[in-house]
């Protein structure tokens, strides 16, 4: 129920309670009734005003509670961020026009091998089924009665019904809503056909290698069907609830997946794109407004790949400082270590003397070749007021949406014109190439058919 509805219900309830007391319903209001009487409010008008005031009060309390204590959750649609609405066009029209006009460039393979986030753990309850689009496929994600999450191809091999649309969980199996065929979650094998004497040995759906770590459900993708080649490390503070969930943001980006992690090695863009104050917002047409010049961000960054046995990992070391009217505020200095694990998962580890410690799980999951779902999920010290991590996530969101406006409108350049100071970009591309195989799928030709 929304705050407005809750406030209306509470206000009406209070009014009904007063009326059923008998006598003058506002006698119990005491001095407030005398004040309203002097204002000319008596009887029904006074009662209505009282109910309205109570409703507004509860609405304000609910709003304040949500702002201070509830998780911060911001879920953007594909057309919400990064497009310029001109000549009376809607956001969706601007987004679709930009997608059609943009040159794609000579792209690397579109689906790197690695682990990808499917859902956050709290989004999938025991016995629940959800439909998810990932890596150009439709999958059914369900949690068995053993508490384990499973991911299988969505379409039943019998007659193609979508297992995630009306399918039910029985034990650790998912049942097709069309004819009742049941498939095991761990291997995809069909174990029951209610009207058949025997289940064919070859009856199965593809089951995706799955793990659940750091309160996220992940799947492994490899173009040649090879099994997982590394594990995603556990963040102990998340597992033991020392760090608790404080919110998430979700964005859809129209770009090749490699563009997003490559930002870590593009050190020069930080001083140009991210120095303007967070107060100036995310729209690049206005971020350099002189109104907000008195607040500026200062960045010092270094990116390095890791060596064996963790060559699938890299690290970006960030030192952030805030300057107000040119003065450095040391209390607000933040150190961040961004550790990327494979092509789609980054641990943004915060350590700040005054504001505490925590992590933002930055996950990039391809939905289709040039559409990426990017989530930022924050876990923070449970003894730190929730408003602190919520503020950090909001600031991260504003800065990230500046990048989104670039990604949604840029062309991928396979042979960029670089200067000496851009050397980390080329190093990053060599590092990232390990996630492609000879048979990694490429985008041969794309014609946009589905609009936002």
């Amino acid at each position: 129920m929304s705050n407005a509805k809750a406030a209306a219900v509470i206000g009406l309830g209070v009014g009904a309670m007063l009326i059923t007391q008998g006598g003058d319903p506002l006698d119990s209001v005491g001095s407030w009734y005398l004040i309203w009487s002097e204002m000319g409010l008596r009887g029904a008008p006074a009662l209505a005003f009282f109910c309205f005031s109570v409703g507004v009060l509860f609405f304000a309390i609910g709003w304040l509670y949500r702002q201070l204590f509830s998780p911060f959750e911001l879920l953007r649609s594909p057309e919400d961020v990064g497009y310029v609405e001109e000549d009376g066009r809607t956001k969706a029209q601007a987004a679709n026009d930009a997608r059609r006009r943009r040159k794609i460039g000579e792209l690397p393979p579109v689906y790197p091998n690695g682990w990808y986030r499917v859902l956050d753990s709290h989004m999938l309850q025991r016995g629940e089924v959800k439909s998810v689009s990932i890596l150009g496929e439709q999958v059914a994600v369900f949690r068995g009665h053993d508490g384990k999450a499973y991911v299988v191809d969505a379409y039943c091999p019998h007659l193609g019904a979508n297992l995630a649309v009306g399918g039910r969980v029985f034990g650790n199996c998912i049942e097709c809503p069309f004819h009742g065929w049941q498939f095991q979650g761990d291997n995809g094998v069909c174990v029951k056909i209610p009207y058949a004497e025997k289940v064919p040995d070859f009856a199965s759906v593809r089951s995706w290698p799955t793990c659940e770590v750091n309160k996220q459900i992940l799947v492994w993708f490899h173009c040649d069907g090879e099994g997982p080649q590394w594990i995603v490390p556990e963040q102990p503070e998340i597992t033991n609830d020392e760090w608790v969930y404080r919110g998430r943001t979700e964005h859809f980006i129209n770009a090749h997946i490699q563009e997003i992690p490559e930002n870590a090695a593009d050190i020069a863009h930080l001083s140009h794109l991210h120095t303007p104050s967070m107060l100036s917002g995310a729209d690049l047409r206005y971020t350099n407004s002189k109104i907000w010049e008195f607040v500026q961000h200062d960045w010092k960054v270094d990116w390095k790949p890791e060596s064996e046995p963790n060559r699938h990992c890299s690290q970006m070391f960030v030192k952030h400082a805030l300057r107000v009217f040119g003065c450095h505020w040391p209390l607000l200095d933040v150190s961040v270590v961004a550790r990327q694990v494979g092509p789609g998962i980054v641990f943004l580890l915060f350590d700040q003397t005054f504001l505490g410690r925590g992590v933002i799980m930055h996950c990039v999951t391809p939905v289709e070749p040039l559409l990426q779902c990017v989530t930022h999920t924050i876990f923070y010290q449970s003894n730190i007021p929730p408003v602190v991590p919520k503020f950090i996530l909001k600031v991260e969101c504003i800065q990230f949406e500046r990048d989104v406006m670039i990604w949604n409108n840029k062309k991928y350049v396979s042979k960029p014109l670089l200067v000496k100071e851009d050397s980390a970009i080329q190093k990053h591309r060599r590092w990232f190439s390990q996630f492609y195989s000879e048979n990694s799928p490429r985008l041969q030709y794309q014609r946009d058919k589905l609009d936002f």
Side-chain angles (χ1 to χ4, degrees):
M1 183 182 293
S2 68
N3 281 345
K5 290 181 180 178
V9 169
I10 292 170
L12 291 172
V14 171
M17 181 185 68
L18 292 173
I19 290 173
T20 56
Q21 285 179 345
D24 190 335
L26 291 173
D27 281 347
S28 59
V29 181
S31 60
W32 286 106
Y33 180 54
L34 297 177
I35 294 173
W36 292 337
S37 296
E38 292 176 2
M39 295 169 59
L41 293 173
R42 296 183 178 86
L47 178 60
F49 184 77
F50 174 72
C51 293
F52 174 77
S53 300
V54 170
V56 170
L57 176 63
F58 277 97
F59 177 86
I61 292 173
W63 179 87
L64 185 62
Y65 178 86
R66 193 175 75 237
Q67 297 303 311
L68 293 178
F69 301 108
S70 297
F72 172 75
E73 294 187 338
L74 179 64
L75 312 179
R76 298 289 201 186
S77 298
E79 72 275 13
D80 280 347
V81 180
Y83 298 103
V84 178
E85 306 156 58
E86 293 177 337
D87 304 324
R89 294 180 301 171
T90 64
K91 285 184 177 180
Q93 289 171 334
N96 289 321
D97 288 346
R99 293 170 67 226
R100 292 189 186 100
R101 290 195 308 262
R102 184 180 62 178
K103 291 185 177 181
I104 293 175
E106 187 180 336
L107 296 174
V110 291
Y111 300 141
N113 303 320
W115 287 101
Y116 295 101
R117 172 193 171 274
V118 181
L119 293 170
D120 290 344
S121 295
H122 72 268
M123 298 167 66
L124 189 69
Q125 302 304 312
R126 195 183 298 259
E128 189 176 11
V129 185
K130 289 203 172 182
S131 177
V132 176
S133 298
I134 180 173
L135 296 152
E137 303 281 356
Q138 290 289 118
V139 296
V141 187
F142 69 98
R143 193 178 293 282
H145 292 296
D146 62 354
K148 185 178 178 182
Y150 300 99
V151 180
V152 298
D153 280 354
Y155 299 112
C156 180
H158 177 216
L159 286 174
N162 192 321
L163 301 175
V165 182
R168 296 184 298 171
V169 177
F170 287 87
N172 302 321
C173 298
I174 185 168
E175 182 187 75
C176 176
F178 201 6
H179 296 91
W181 291 31
Q182 292 184 7
F183 302 90
Q184 287 184 337
D186 56 353
N187 56 19
V189 172
C190 182
V191 295
K192 181 181 178 181
I193 301 176
Y195 55 87
E197 293 182 2
K198 182 183 178 183
V199 177
D201 294 338
F202 52 84
S204 66
V205 293
R206 177 171 58 160
S207 176
W208 294 60
T210 309
C211 75
E212 194 162 3
V213 62
N214 301 321
K215 299 189 178 180
Q216 294 186 322
I217 301 168
L218 311 175
V219 296
W220 169 265
F221 168 82
H222 195 285
C223 62
D224 298 319
E226 296 181 12
Q229 297 171 358
W230 66 83
I231 62 171
V232 176
E234 177 186 66
Q235 190 69 41
E237 295 89 346
I238 296 176
T239 305
N240 62 27
D241 291 326
E242 182 182 338
W243 294 352
V244 295
Y245 173 76
R246 293 302 188 197
R248 73 182 177 99
T249 62
E250 180 178 275
H251 296 81
F252 289 89
I253 298 170
N254 285 284
H256 188 278
I257 182 175
Q258 187 174 313
E259 299 268 27
I260 299 167
E262 190 169 286
N263 251 26
D266 185 4
I267 297 168
H269 95 283
L270 287 167
S271 60
H272 189 77
L273 192 64
H274 298 294
T275 289
S277 163
M278 59 191 176
L279 300 173
S280 61
D283 192 325
L284 302 183
R285 295 172 295 173
Y286 312 115
T287 51
N288 288 304
S289 169
K290 294 188 179 297
I291 297 175
W292 308 110
E293 276 188 344
F294 66 93
V295 179
Q296 291 194 328
H297 303 274
D298 186 40
W299 308 89
K300 292 182 179 178
V301 181
D302 185 30
W303 177 86
K304 292 179 180 178
E306 294 187 26
S307 56
E308 291 287 5
N310 296 320
R311 62 183 297 267
H312 59 278
C313 299
S314 67
Q315 294 193 47
M316 178 176 71
F317 303 91
V318 181
K319 289 192 177 294
H320 169 267
L322 193 67
R323 296 187 179 277
V324 181
F325 294 108
C327 297
H328 176 210
W329 287 43
L331 270 180
L332 297 179
D333 286 357
V334 179
S335 294
V336 180
V337 177
R339 187 174 192 237
Q340 178 155 0
V341 181
I345 299 172
V346 180
F347 294 73
L348 291 166
L349 290 157
F350 291 83
D351 189 358
Q352 211 274 344
T353 305
F354 180 65
L355 300 177
R357 299 171 64 239
V359 64
I360 292 179
M361 298 299 301
H362 165 99
C363 299
V364 185
T365 301
V367 179
E368 54 187 55
L370 295 180
L371 182 64
Q372 319 301 325
C373 176
V374 181
T375 58
H376 292 87
T377 306
I378 190 166
F379 296 90
Y380 219 78
Q381 283 181 244
S382 58
N383 60 346
I384 296 292
V387 69
V388 172
K390 289 173 67 175
F391 174 75
I392 291 173
L393 187 58
K394 178 62 178 177
V395 173
E396 167 70 17
C397 180
I398 292 171
Q399 295 285 8
F400 183 74
E401 288 185 353
R402 295 180 185 179
D403 292 305
V404 173
M405 196 166 187
I406 297 292
W407 291 322
N408 279 357
N409 296 278
K410 79 184 293 294
K411 167 188 171 182
Y412 180 83
V413 181
S414 58
K415 297 179 180 178
L417 177 60
L418 302 175
V419 295
K420 180 181 64 175
E421 290 77 8
D422 294 324
S423 60
I425 295 175
Q426 213 56 329
K427 291 179 182 176
H428 186 278
R429 290 193 174 189
R430 286 194 295 270
W431 172 81
F432 199 88
S433 67
Q434 68 180 296
F435 305 119
Y436 303 127
S437 303
E438 183 180 351
N439 296 320
S440 291
R442 291 182 175 271
L443 183 66
Q444 301 295 334
Y445 175 77
Q446 182 183 36
R447 178 183 177 85
D448 290 322
K449 295 179 181 178
L450 299 176
D451 289 347
F452 297 138

